[in-house]
Amino acid sequence: MKKKVVIALGGNAILQPGQKGTYEEQIANVEVACQQIVELIKKGFQIVITHGNGPQVGNILIQNEEGAKLVPKMPLDVCGAQSQGMIGYMIQQTLRKILIQKGYNSEIVTVITQVVVDKHDPSFQNPSKPVGPFYNEEKAKAEIAKGESWIEDAGRGWRKVVPSPEPKTIVEANIIKQLAQVGAIVIASGGGGIPVVETKNNVYTGVEAVIDKDLAGERLAVDVGADMFVILTDVSGVALNYRKDNETWLRNITLDEVNLYEAEGHFKKGSMGPKVKACKKFVEATNKPAIISSLDKLVEAVEDKAGTRILPNISREKGK
Ligand code: ADP
Ligand code: MG
């Protein structure tokens, strides 16, 4: 049976810092990511893809805001669904093109994915995840008066903040797993999934929140029975003393080691922190490796030649 790899694409795989987010820019970035993924497919791996959506949702929110005089605004969960469709489409089309060019073929499908969160998650009392563009104080104060949470960001202006609850379960988990089992390349849980709460048994409704895409990716990886969970970002892996004189890049580390480094405060909240946490959770749940790597080193990382690999404690003892 083919080894199953769940790949979480970081924001820069679709939009680079400083870019505006034109269709041409995004499709060019997606092409670079898909080239790497096809190299892994050529090696015989089965792939499930998840991805971030921050800049895309940000742009959709601006379209909603600016277009509100003409057409009704959509809530954040619907904007999230839109971004899953948009990014999924670009990946589906580009991946197919490259596969065909190289003499391969596969069904490729995007699943609009709802991720269940607990309505009592503490983050609902403390919204902290910024969404959308910066605005002036006047706009922020008006929205705060309507019940929204906004924060001032060190002179850059005001931004709306929403809760960032923990992902619990994936509503579409079964069908995603079945699609992967019949050999499809599945794109799922984009942007961390659309956050929903259960209102009645098996009935869900969207909430205004953002789930961390790496933590949701971990849920996806466990649900599809992945042999490996790979988080791709814009750095080559995980460093101790990141950007300090004594910076040290890590290759293979056990859960015990990573817990120690985490307690020492090496992994920044909101960037490397959730990636390390997601990897830990995957390794704890499955006893299989989780990897953090840069996009251009995907194949090497899967072959244990690059990136940072988090391993169960036992494998080190066995000398693996
Ligand atoms: P993504 O869009 O891929 O989720 P993030 O910006 O959220 O990217 O996270 C990747 C960033 O984490 C890197 O660009 C790096 O600046 C930062 N980072 C924080 N702590 C560390 C660390 N200990 N080792 C490596 N990178 C780190
Ligand atoms: Mg991130």
Side-chain angles (χ1 to χ4, degrees):
M1 227 177 57
K2 285 189 173 184
K3 289 228 167 188
K4 213 179 282 163
V5 181
V6 170
I7 297 173
L9 292 172
N12 70 314
I14 308 160
L15 200 56
Q16 307 278 338
Q19 290 183 331
K20 275 199 174 127
T22 63
Y23 168 72
E24 288 76 15
E25 284 168 345
Q26 297 193 62
I27 207 86
N29 293 328
V30 166
E31 174 136 7
V32 172
C34 289
Q35 293 278 6
Q36 295 294 322
I37 292 169
V38 168
E39 290 307 307
L40 210 53
I41 293 168
K42 280 165 64 184
K43 298 228 168 209
F45 290 93
Q46 169 159 25
I47 308 297
V48 174
I49 301 168
T50 188
H51 57 81
N53 72 345
Q56 289 77 16
V57 155
N59 287 356
I60 292 169
L61 288 170
I62 295 172
Q63 290 167 348
N64 272 275
E65 196 63 42
E66 294 296 318
K69 291 145 252 153
L70 299 172
V71 287
K73 273 204 232 183
M74 288 296 126
L76 185 60
D77 55 319
V78 176
C79 295
Q82 271 181 262
S83 78
Q84 287 185 349
M86 173 171 88
I87 296 168
Y89 162 65
M90 291 193 284
I91 298 175
Q92 277 179 220
Q93 196 172 70
T94 310
L95 202 51
R96 173 179 297 277
K97 183 184 82 177
I98 298 168
L99 279 173
I100 300 285
Q101 274 171 1
K102 310 228 167 185
Y104 291 78
N105 202 355
S106 174
E107 299 288 352
I108 310 167
V109 58
T110 300
V111 177
I112 300 297
T113 312
Q114 306 173 75
V115 174
V116 183
V117 301
D118 181 353
K119 58 173 172 266
H120 302 298
D121 190 290
S123 75
F124 284 107
Q125 304 308 318
N126 180 28
S128 63
K129 172 77 186 170
V131 288
F134 289 94
Y135 286 98
N136 62 24
E137 186 171 352
E138 191 190 344
K139 161 86 177 164
K141 291 276 153 75
E143 298 299 329
I144 291 168
K146 289 186 218 157
E148 289 190 352
S149 297
W150 285 63
I151 54 162
E152 220 248 302
D153 183 336
R156 289 198 293 170
W158 288 76
R159 262 183 115 184
K160 178 173 174 167
V161 285
V162 298
S164 188
E166 296 264 329
K168 292 289 180 196
T169 55
I170 295 176
V171 176
E172 291 79 11
N174 268 330
I175 191 65
I176 293 168
K177 188 171 184 176
Q178 286 175 43
L179 286 165
Q181 267 163 357
V182 297
I185 298 168
V186 192
I187 303 148
S189 200
I194 306 159
V196 297
V197 293
E198 194 171 27
T199 50
K200 265 186 239 155
N201 210 0
N202 267 318
V203 180
Y204 303 94
T205 188
V207 287
E208 187 160 75
V210 170
I211 302 170
D212 181 85
K213 72 124 193 346
D214 297 311
L215 294 177
E218 187 272 339
R219 301 278 78 207
L220 179 69
V222 170
D223 283 346
V224 300
D227 297 290
M228 207 181 272
F229 177 40
V230 183
I231 298 177
L232 297 176
T233 184
D234 56 357
V235 284
S236 64
V238 183
L240 298 181
N241 304 304
Y242 179 65
R243 286 192 170 155
K244 293 184 189 148
D245 288 342
N246 54 345
E247 178 183 87
T248 316
W249 292 90
L250 300 166
R251 273 285 288 120
N252 281 353
I253 45 172
T254 64
L255 278 177
D256 278 351
E257 287 167 330
V258 90
N259 280 328
L260 191 77
Y261 300 144
E262 190 179 49
E264 287 173 356
H266 289 282
F267 315 130
K268 247 218 211 120
K269 222 179 140 199
S271 59
M272 195 47 75
K275 295 185 200 312
V276 168
K277 186 175 168 192
C279 287
K280 274 173 47 178
K281 287 185 80 174
F282 178 76
V283 179
E284 279 162 5
T286 63
N287 265 326
K288 292 183 172 143
I291 298 164
I292 296 166
S293 160
S294 58
L295 176 63
D296 60 326
K297 294 268 165 59
L298 171 61
V299 175
E300 282 138 288
V302 168
E303 292 180 334
D304 204 3
K305 292 179 206 148
T308 301
R309 186 172 281 239
I310 297 166
L311 297 161
N313 292 321
I314 192 110
S315 31
R316 183 53 82 76
E317 285 154 30
K318 278 190 190 155
K320 266 193 198 166

